[in-house]
Amino acid sequence: MNARASLFVLMSRLACGGLLLTSGLHATSTMADSLRSLVITQVELDRSTGVLYIHGRNFGTGTPNVTFADEPLTVQSSNDTQVLAVLPGNYHETQASYLLTVSVGPNISQNDAFDVTFGATGPRGDKGDTGAKGDTGATGATGATGATGATGATSAKGDTGPQGPKGGFSDCESKTGEPTTSSKWSAASVIQCEAGEFLVSGACYESNMAVGTSSRLRKVGGVWTYQCVIARDGQNDSVRAQVLCCKP
């Protein structure tokens, strides 16, 4: 069966707080691969202009595609470590979390996502006036030098402890959702990982490569799910969502 994958990368900090792991559907990426991957590290908002300052690495020299809550954003400027994009509407006036994505190509390593929350903290206030300098206090008296303590006895060298467990992910498994022929998210092909597993990556597999696919990442009942739909109905085409789930 021919297949065209619409690839998407989830930063595992969305599930476990900070570690970036990227993967193909059948093999875990090496550390060298992660250093070449597109990574979002920080997002800041200039409330006076509505411009998002997106910091990271490997954004490339071209203009990336940026979405906010599935809405494409206009990119003002970009370089390999920073992207400036205009935030439409009044998102920042409502306390909520939104999914921000940056893409420079179809590969997993060329995509990243970041959870942006507004309303958790208020806007920064104006800088206060500098206070008057206080009077210099009087110099205190020098204390007496204490006696030198006796040297303690040297203890015996302890036994070497056991080797710790190997870090990183292991026991990864590819999982596939039921196919759909619909372009509506309410009838999407949906797949998620089990409790104790992390959703490392996802892709949409189209059966006939007729019209293309769309994908999104959504938290349902506290669990991250990967969803895929056909780009346009009535084309005798179907799509399946597929993810890579790993245990720590």
Side-chain angles (χ1 to χ4, degrees), residues 28-50:
T28 303
S29 298
T30 64
M31 183 61 71
D33 290 336
S34 68
L35 294 177
R36 294 191 295 268
S37 298
L38 185 152
V39 179
I40 303 171
T41 59
Q42 184 181 2
V43 178
E44 299 174 302
L45 171 65
D46 185 340
R47 292 176 179 269
S48 64
T49 61

Side-chain angles (χ1 to χ4, degrees), residues 219-240:
K219 184 176 283 188
V220 178
V223 178
W224 285 105
T225 64
Y226 193 76
Q227 305 175 5
C228 297
V229 294
I230 290 294
R232 190 168 64 253
D233 288 332
Q235 301 298 315
N236 191 27
D237 203 355
S238 64
V239 65
R240 294 177 294 110

Side-chain angles (χ1 to χ4, degrees), residues 21-212:
L21 294 175
T22 60
S23 173
L25 293 175
H26 302 290
T28 303
S29 298
T30 64
M31 183 61 71
D33 290 336
S34 68
L35 294 177
R36 294 191 295 268
S37 298
L38 185 152
V39 179
I40 303 171
T41 59
Q42 184 181 2
V43 178
E44 299 174 302
L45 171 65
D46 185 340
R47 292 176 179 269
S48 64
T49 61
V51 173
L52 284 173
Y53 288 76
I54 306 168
H55 305 278
R57 64 175 180 267
N58 298 323
F59 294 145
T61 57
T63 301
N65 294 318
V66 181
T67 67
F68 188 88
D70 287 340
E71 184 175 354
L73 300 187
T74 299
V75 175
Q76 284 189 340
S77 64
S78 66
N79 56 40
D80 195 55
T81 59
Q82 186 183 72
V83 177
L84 273 62
V86 179
L87 182 66
N90 299 317
Y91 281 106
H92 61 280
E93 296 180 4
T94 303
Q95 182 171 341
S97 294
Y98 302 93
L99 187 66
L100 171 77
T101 67
V102 177
S103 174
V104 297
N107 296 326
I108 289 178
S109 62
Q110 295 174 302
N111 293 263
D112 201 9
F114 198 96
D115 211 9
V116 178
T117 300
F118 293 132
T121 58
R124 183 176 181 179
D126 296 333
K127 183 178 180 181
D129 298 330
T130 302
K133 184 178 180 180
D135 298 330
T136 302
T139 302
T142 302
T145 302
T148 302
T151 302
T154 301
S155 60
K157 183 178 179 180
D159 297 332
T160 301
Q163 182 176 352
K166 183 179 180 180
F169 284 135
S170 62
D171 192 13
C172 294
E173 178 184 1
S174 177
K175 299 183 179 183
T176 304
E178 293 295 326
T180 182
T181 60
S182 176
S183 65
K184 297 179 176 58
W185 289 113
S186 59
S189 175
V190 180
I191 190 66
Q192 66 186 47
C193 295
E194 301 295 333
E197 296 179 332
F198 292 103
L199 199 162
V200 177
S201 65
C204 295
Y205 279 87
E206 184 182 5
S207 62
N208 297 328
M209 297 191 301
V211 294

